[in-house]
Amino acid sequence: MAAANSADARPSESETEKAIVEAAKHYPRANVAEDFQYGTAGFRMKDDLLDYIVFIVGIVATLRSRKVQGQTIGIMITASHNKYQDNGVKVVDTQGEMLEQSFEHVATQLANVHTPQDLGTTYASVLKKLNIPATTKKAHVIFARDTRPSGLRLVKALKAGLEAAGAEYIDYGVLTTPQLHYLVKATNTESGRNPFGEVSEEGYYKKLAKNFVAAMEDAKPIGSVTVDCANGVGAPKLKQLLKHLPPPEKSGLRIRIVNDQIEKPEALNEGCGADFVKTQQTTPAGFNGKAYDRWASFDGDADRIIYYFNEEGPVFRMLDGDRIATLTASFIGELLQKAGLAEKVKVSVIQTAYANGASTRYIEQGLKLKSEFTDTGVKHLHHAALRADIGVYFEANGHGTVLFSPHATKKIFLSEPQSPAQLEALNILRALTDLINQAVGDALSDLLLTEVILAHKGFTVKEWLATYTDMPSRLGKVNVLDRRSYTTVPGSAERKLASPQYMQEKIDEIVAKYKDGRSFVRASGTEDAVRIYGEAAESFDVDNMVEKVMETIMAYSAQGVAQR
Ligand code: 16G
Ligand code: MG
């Protein structure tokens, strides 16, 4: 249930500054030497360090709302796939996208002051620099949290920050991350020409369910899908969604749920969930599937999904973000063709360097679609997808969605069908534009989308896998203290290092020795580590190659550390 506060008219700037200084006294900054940084996933760390940070994020979101004339800003408290002792906080911008970049700096700056007095002065200087209009409009913020036990405590700190900074807020309780994104976009478009959906959790389910039914018309779902919900918020929310869908007897599709124990906090992401399955390349706890049973896993806040199955053996087979992207792009491409729109509306697929090379070849040569690469992190893919007619974006790890441009949407909704087949294709496309959560990658919405496509194509998991053959690949990690010394060449989509000096040359030298070898190195944005990705024609080659690159990193970084 949503609960709103009732702030009165906004006090003067100096009163606000004073209120912030007073409130900050109750939320001292954790005494850690390292600077906090607002990164790809917002702020994320052990939950006992976070009270101050969450308090600050309340102030940042308030400033952001004021900067955009009182439009609603979202805050999500979650640490996604990380351990249950971690937590995190990130800000959602007006259209449900990630926080605007300049405000990431504001967040980092405010998170790194050390005393309440400093906070007051820094706040005042930020306020001036932001050139916030002297508007009488109040700031509006909505927020939610995942199932982590620390969430409730952190909400107290958040409210203190919001109240001190003078925002009006609504607490939406426990939600998935994409549901909060949905609500932000729905709130800000409610009275406009294109409302995104009803402004409620119920409205979210109704929108998905209605369009799922429409998209499934004339399709024949095959069997069942079992969803591992990582013992996180995805479990109760998927159960809610199921109540809005037609029963399996009617739809022909059974959705089974495992790993739904949210009352056991320590079970969250433990041996299960999308991150576990993807990184360990194995089935999750609770897996009892027979060969070729269709399985999917969500992560801890349900913004990622991957599919997989076992062949006899058992041999584990992954159907990750690349597979969902190629499946979706090919389906939308076919529909556009049938609807006679293929010449007018172009599909682009946006990937990161982690995408398997075989998926990119399939997109370009098999599907004859445009492919594009960006840096890691949802916001980069999202921005690239916004430039496409229809932008299908997925990270290999299962974050992703599809964006339909106004041009594409207009063509899809205003085209006059010339035949029953064209009408059918248009109807499916129309339903997809609303079944897909265009605010952000959403495991619940992506699950339904994938099921719709498999049903229409009549694909089993085996047939889905057979569309192309993955290159053998491997992901490695070296823990380093100096990850910031690893930078990539701008515009290279992180495929080339700019520093440390000569490191890229050394990597190129190693890679040249392996057939179809490819490897790149980048600093993690979420932990003190450097990640190494590699692929090659043979799996024994790829192991050897990635090991050699890792040794090179270790040799350099050991040196770097010893010199400190
Ligand atoms: C964050 C990003 C995710 C990215 C991951 C990379 C968002 C919402 N999340 O979780 O997209 O894949 O970081 O992690 O943008 P890394 O920098 O540690 O490799
Ligand atoms: Mg997540």
Side-chain angles (χ1 to χ4, degrees), residues 40 90 98 376-378 395 397 399 522 524-526 531:
T40 38
K90 62 181 169 191
M98 303 297 164
T376 301
V378 167
E395 290 188 308
N397 65 19
H399 274 292
R522 61 175 274 278
S524 159
T526 60
R531 295 196 200 286

Side-chain angles (χ1 to χ4, degrees), residues 80-81 299-304 399:
S80 182
H81 61 278
D299 71 339
D301 62 338
D303 64 352
R304 272 169 70 178
H399 274 292

Side-chain angles (χ1 to χ4, degrees), residues 437-498:
N437 185 345
Q438 293 193 51
V440 76
D442 179 338
L444 292 172
S445 155
D446 289 341
L447 171 76
L448 297 186
L449 169 69
T450 308
E451 291 301 321
V452 163
I453 302 175
L454 293 176
H456 275 284
K457 283 183 171 273
F459 268 12
T460 61
V461 280
K462 203 174 163 184
E463 286 157 328
W464 181 7
L465 186 76
T467 47
Y468 63 87
T469 308
D470 273 318
M471 297 270 290
S473 70
R474 186 165 157 208
L475 189 59
K477 174 172 106 172
V478 175
N479 291 318
V480 298
L481 288 176
D482 58 346
R483 70 169 148 142
R484 292 203 176 114
S485 62
Y486 289 79
T487 61
T488 53
V489 175
S492 72
E494 303 177 319
R495 288 171 292 190
K496 259 198 170 53
L497 282 176

Side-chain angles (χ1 to χ4, degrees), residues 359-379:
S359 72
T360 312
R361 261 194 304 283
Y362 175 68
I363 292 161
E364 290 174 346
Q365 293 164 20
L367 302 175
K368 306 254 184 279
L369 298 175
K370 204 175 139 213
S371 91
E372 203 182 317
F373 284 86
T374 70
D375 288 1
T376 301
V378 167
K379 66 175 177 208

Side-chain angles (χ1 to χ4, degrees), residues 22-72:
E22 269 318 298
K25 292 177 183 162
H26 302 281
Y27 296 95
R29 183 189 196 274
N31 201 7
V32 290
E34 213 195 325
D35 274 0
F36 297 119
Q37 191 162 8
Y38 193 98
T40 38
F43 293 110
R44 199 175 284 182
M45 60 199 81
K46 289 258 168 305
D47 77 59
D48 50 3
L49 300 178
L50 263 173
D51 297 67
Y52 172 74
I53 298 286
V54 170
F55 168 79
I56 288 294
V57 168
I59 299 170
V60 174
T62 307
L63 286 171
R64 178 69 188 150
S65 175
R66 288 182 59 193
K67 178 75 191 171
V68 290
Q69 286 80 33
Q71 288 187 76
T72 294

